[in-house]
Amino acid sequence: MNKEQGNNQQNDRKTLGEDHPIQVVYDGNAVKNNQEKQNIHVFQRPEIKRKPQKKRFMPVLLTVLCASAIGVFFGMTILKLFVSMDDEPIAEGNHTDETVTASAASGSTEKKHYDIPQLSGYVLQAGVFMEKENAEEWLNYYETNQLPVIIWEQDTQYYLFTGIYPTEEAAKNQAGELKASGYDVFAKSWSTTSGEIELGEEEAEWLNKFAEEWPVSLSAKKPESLIESVNAVPSSEQFAGIRNKLQEQVSAEQFYLDIFKLYEQLGKDI
């Protein structure tokens, strides 16, 4: 039976194939699958145009060029510096040597720190003020009445002194006379502040002699002994105030007050 069916199928194909372009299919699923495979659409990926990449060696080249330029600039600067130093005249070099020699010679007098001897006395205090302007008003008042007077600044206060004496008794006697004339004053002990100052050996010797002569001259109320030392006063700027004051023509009372104050300032100029 199978053989007959096979022969019939062949005859059917032949008969139908000759008259009609139709193929008899007995396995439909196989043909369907085959057709689906044949009908698959193929899509082609469009060609992407790549942007041309910049050359990576350009930043490196720029860095090298900049470094080279900077190196050349500094090299030329240093070269000019050495050339200018070599071109200096010999005379100027000799001047430098002379300056060094002179400095060495002047350095032979070595300066050291010395204690400043204190000066002391009994002053007549005419007032103490918190404001300098108030002290200056009373200063003018005493000067108008031809009385010796100075302003002494200490501890943010301004003291008004109208005389200085070697002893407390002498100061009190003078205070009594001024009070009888209507001035409100009183006697008190006062000294210059202690401290250190940098001086040469000769300057230190003069300062010690001046401090020793102070009470003697103050007791005699004769400033001549101090004035005679004007030529021996050290020429350094630290003693300029005292040196100039010794040459001024003032009353003895004003002279001692001024010297007392200038000596105090000498201590503060350390």
Side-chain angles (χ1 to χ4, degrees):
M1 181 176 179
N2 292 333
K3 185 176 180 180
E4 291 178 355
Q5 289 178 351
N7 292 328
N8 292 333
Q9 290 176 356
Q10 290 178 358
N11 293 330
D12 292 340
R13 283 197 301 268
K14 290 178 180 179
T15 303
L16 293 173
E18 293 176 356
D19 298 333
H20 303 282
I22 299 174
Q23 181 179 2
V24 179
V25 179
Y26 295 92
D27 190 355
N29 290 331
V31 174
K32 183 178 181 181
N33 292 334
N34 187 31
Q35 290 178 348
E36 290 177 353
K37 291 180 180 180
Q38 292 178 357
N39 294 330
I40 293 175
H41 296 282
V42 178
F43 295 94
Q44 293 183 355
R45 185 175 63 180
E47 184 178 357
I48 301 174
K49 294 183 179 180
R50 297 183 178 180
K51 296 180 179 180
Q53 296 182 355
K54 296 182 179 179
K55 297 180 180 180
R56 297 182 179 179
F57 66 87
M58 287 301 294
V60 177
L61 180 60
L62 290 175
T63 302
V64 173
L65 291 176
C66 291
S68 300
I70 294 173
V72 171
F73 173 76
F74 280 106
M76 294 298 293
T77 303
I78 294 174
L79 180 61
K80 289 181 179 179
L81 177 62
F82 281 103
V83 170
S84 63
M85 291 176 62
D86 294 337
D87 292 340
E88 290 182 356
I90 298 176
E92 187 174 350
N94 292 336
H95 176 70
T96 303
D97 294 340
E98 292 174 0
T99 302
V100 174
T101 304
S103 299
S106 61
S108 59
T109 305
E110 183 180 359
K111 290 192 174 185
K112 299 179 181 179
H113 288 278
Y114 293 90
D115 292 331
I116 301 175
Q118 286 184 290
L119 302 186
S120 59
Y122 289 87
V123 297
L124 299 183
Q125 181 172 311
V128 58
F129 307 90
M130 298 299 297
E131 301 293 336
K132 187 176 182 180
E133 291 77 8
N134 296 334
E136 289 175 345
E137 288 182 7
W138 282 97
L139 175 75
N140 294 332
Y141 171 77
Y142 276 83
E143 287 180 341
T144 302
N145 289 276
Q146 298 182 352
L147 291 174
V149 63
I150 60 169
I151 295 176
W152 189 291
E153 181 181 356
Q154 182 170 301
D155 299 331
T156 68
Q157 292 181 321
Y158 300 91
Y159 294 84
L160 195 68
F161 296 150
T162 184
I164 182 169
Y165 299 88
T167 63
E168 183 179 11
E169 181 180 1
K172 286 183 176 181
N173 291 336
Q174 182 63 25
E177 294 181 8
L178 290 176
K179 285 183 178 181
S181 300
Y183 297 98
D184 185 13
V185 299
F186 66 94
K188 64 183 300 184
S189 176
W190 200 262
S191 300
T192 57
T193 55
S194 59
E196 290 185 349
I197 188 171
E198 187 177 6
L199 299 172
E201 185 176 355
E202 293 182 359
E203 293 174 330
E205 289 179 358
W206 179 89
L207 190 62
N208 287 325
K209 291 180 179 179
F210 184 86
E212 292 174 358
E213 186 63 29
W214 167 260
V216 177
S217 178
L218 184 61
S219 298
K221 281 294 180 179
K222 293 181 179 180
E224 289 80 6
S225 58
L226 295 178
I227 294 175
E228 289 175 357
S229 66
V230 64
N231 294 328
V233 178
S235 59
S236 62
E237 189 65 25
Q238 299 178 91
F239 297 95
I242 294 177
R243 185 169 55 251
N244 294 334
K245 180 57 62 176
L246 291 175
Q247 301 178 70
E248 290 183 5
Q249 298 294 326
V250 295
S251 65
E253 292 80 3
Q254 187 66 50
F255 171 84
Y256 287 109
L257 281 175
D258 290 339
I259 291 295
F260 197 47
K261 181 179 179 179
L262 287 170
Y263 193 93
E264 169 71 7
Q265 292 173 349
L266 175 67
K268 292 181 180 179
D269 291 339
I270 299 174

